[in-house]
Structures are given as C-alpha cells and as structure tokens.
Amino acid sequence: MMIHLHSNKSKSSLDKWMPEQIQPNAMDLKLGKVFAIKHENPFEISEDGKTHRGSVEINPDGEGWYSLGPGSYEVIMEGEITIGPEEAGWVITRSTLNRNGIYLTSGLYDSGYKGVMAGVIHITGNQLTKTRIKKGTRIGQFLLFKAEAVKTYDGDYGSGKY
C-alpha cells in the first residue's frame, strides 16, 4: 500500500521541505547538486567490494542554472530522508522531464535508511542539445509504501561515503 510521506500514517520524514513540494500522492524532490561522472575511471563491483568511478561537482552559474549536455550526471536532492520501520520508497522522474527526454533513476530506499537522496539524471539528445536546470527545481517525486522488512538498512551510502 502506498502512503504519503507527509501523512500522519507515515513514520518516515524529509527535512527542509516546502509546502509546494506536497503533491496528491508523492513528495516532490528538488535538485541540490550535480556531479559529472568520471567515465574514464573503471567501475568494479563484486560481493567483496566496490570501486566507484567517482565524480566531480559541477557548479551552477551565477543565477543558479546548470547547463548540461547529453549524458548521465549524478544528482543529490535537497534535504535528507529518514525511512521509518516497515516502510520503503523510491524516486520517479517528474513527467515534465520525461516528456523532454530527461530521466531520473535511483535505487530503493530501505527501511531504516537515513541520509541524502540521490540518483542519476539521464539527458538524451545530440551534441547540439543543451539542457538548463536551475538549482532548487523539482525534478523527481518520492513514493513511499508499506513494506515488510526483515532487517533495517545497514549500508554506508547515506553517511556521505558514496
């Protein structure tokens, strides 16, 4: 069963939200930071560990705009989430971005997760295509649902060690 993050039935919370982020069935998420993924670095993953490609923060211009060409970029949303017991959530792209060939992907937010909300924004097009997104713009929606949890999140992503 899906529940609203802002509902009194939810045990989860998002800090630093504004009333305009509350939508009928979800909570809008605002763009905080953008990072260029270092594609020249190898990514390795096994059951023994992982080595990330790494990323470099992209700074917005003086008016807060990010100018992005086609490709994939790591994004961090404004605020931090706390996922309550027996709840989980995921992020979907806002439809305006979908209709313009821009997609946001993210993983599952497990019961007990606390920390940043992040994902990858994928911009389609060719070398001439430019996309401008202003810092603080609503780019995704967070969906929360009841979930049977056999344990709580025990990773290190939310701690900033990603």
Side-chain angles (χ1 to χ4, degrees), residues 3-14 17-19 21-27 142 144:
I3 56 175
H4 201 290
L5 182 62
H6 191 65
S7 165
N8 60 4
K9 295 177 184 174
S10 169
K11 297 174 186 168
S12 300
S13 62
L14 175 66
W17 59 272
M18 301 296 289
Q21 289 175 252
I22 301 171
Q23 297 301 316
N25 298 105
M27 183 72 89
F142 184 73
L144 184 67

Side-chain angles (χ1 to χ4, degrees), residues 6-146:
H6 191 65
S7 165
N8 60 4
K9 295 177 184 174
S10 169
K11 297 174 186 168
S12 300
S13 62
L14 175 66
D15 70 355
K16 301 178 185 171
W17 59 272
M18 301 296 289
E20 66 268 13
Q21 289 175 252
I22 301 171
Q23 297 301 316
N25 298 105
M27 183 72 89
D28 280 344
L29 300 175
K30 292 183 174 189
L31 178 62
K33 295 180 180 181
V34 177
F35 298 82
I37 298 170
K38 293 182 176 181
H39 292 285
E40 66 275 9
N41 294 345
F43 169 67
E44 296 178 348
I45 189 166
S46 71
E47 292 304 311
D48 299 321
K50 56 190 167 192
T51 302
H52 290 277
R53 289 180 173 159
S55 59
V56 177
E57 186 169 358
I58 298 172
N59 293 313
D61 68 17
E63 295 177 355
W65 289 93
Y66 291 101
S67 292
L68 306 172
S72 298
Y73 302 86
E74 181 180 8
V75 294
I76 306 284
M77 276 33 114
E78 291 182 353
E80 291 191 3
I81 190 88
T82 299
I83 305 296
E86 299 182 357
E87 294 178 0
W90 72 92
V91 175
I92 62 171
T93 311
R94 290 194 73 221
S95 61
T96 299
L97 275 67
N98 277 337
R99 289 192 305 272
N100 285 280
I102 301 167
Y103 309 99
L104 177 64
T105 58
S106 186
L108 179 72
Y109 290 84
D110 288 309
S111 300
Y113 176 81
K114 182 176 184 173
V116 299
M117 298 182 77
V120 174
I121 197 164
H122 307 274
I123 301 174
T124 64
N126 60 40
Q127 289 81 1
L128 300 176
T129 305
K130 289 293 181 195
T131 298
R132 289 178 18 107
I133 303 176
K134 195 166 190 177
K135 181 178 174 79
T137 297
R138 296 173 289 161
I139 62 169
Q141 291 185 312
F142 184 73
L143 306 178
L144 184 67
F145 55 94
K146 291 288 185 187

